[in-house]
Amino acid sequence: MDAGIPSGVRERAQPRCEYCGLPQAAVLFAFQIEHVIARQHRGSDDPSNLALACDRCNLHKGTNLSAIDPISGNIVAIFNPRKDRWHEHFELQGAVILGLTEVGRATLALLKMNVEHRVRLRTELNGVMALTPPKMG
């Protein structure tokens, strides 16, 4: 990967997780540059296939390209921060992220965005910094 690519990906992400919206400034660990489409699925190192992700979202996403919507039971593509608009699939209500579509609900479930410790962190952050959804896509 070209040495300048990571800084460009971080800058584009303003730096927040492009999946859950967690700001990099809220945690001590560095967010990871992840492949939206994993290399094993022929994803490239091109910036158009890279996203900034917190360790939790990156860990749970892994190489997955799809997940099951818990309401419809349909297998759907998960949220793609390079192609999808966050606000069309998710809504931030306080510290809880809601899935508005099959893609949003399936991604929330797969990435475990609303498990207790993640909601608690967003609740604590709400008092310190404004929580806003990612602006990309």
Side-chain angles (χ1 to χ4, degrees), residues 92-96 120-132:
L92 188 59
Q93 283 195 355
V96 175
R120 188 172 48 247
L121 174 60
R122 288 194 297 269
T123 300
E124 292 169 7
L125 288 175
N126 232 356
V128 178
M129 60 181 63
L131 288 180
T132 57

Side-chain angles (χ1 to χ4, degrees), residues 65-94:
L65 300 175
S66 61
I68 298 172
D69 172 22
I71 293 177
S72 70
N74 292 332
I75 298 171
V76 297
I78 60 172
F79 176 75
N80 179 329
R82 298 283 66 81
K83 295 181 179 180
D84 299 327
R85 294 184 183 272
W86 199 90
H87 70 275
E88 291 176 2
H89 298 283
F90 306 100
E91 181 179 311
L92 188 59
Q93 283 195 355

Side-chain angles (χ1 to χ4, degrees), residues 27-106:
V27 293
L28 298 174
F29 56 86
F31 284 0
Q32 303 160 355
I33 306 295
E34 75 99 22
H35 291 82
V36 176
I37 299 174
R39 287 181 182 155
Q40 79 179 53
H41 297 299
R42 299 186 184 175
S44 73
D45 288 340
D46 187 87
S48 65
N49 186 48
L50 301 175
L52 189 64
C54 70
D55 68 326
R56 298 291 90 191
C57 284
N58 195 23
L59 172 74
H60 293 298
K61 179 183 171 283
T63 61
N64 289 299
L65 300 175
S66 61
I68 298 172
D69 172 22
I71 293 177
S72 70
N74 292 332
I75 298 171
V76 297
I78 60 172
F79 176 75
N80 179 329
R82 298 283 66 81
K83 295 181 179 180
D84 299 327
R85 294 184 183 272
W86 199 90
H87 70 275
E88 291 176 2
H89 298 283
F90 306 100
E91 181 179 311
L92 188 59
Q93 283 195 355
V96 175
I97 300 171
L98 301 178
L100 303 176
T101 64
E102 287 184 321
V103 167
R105 293 186 301 265

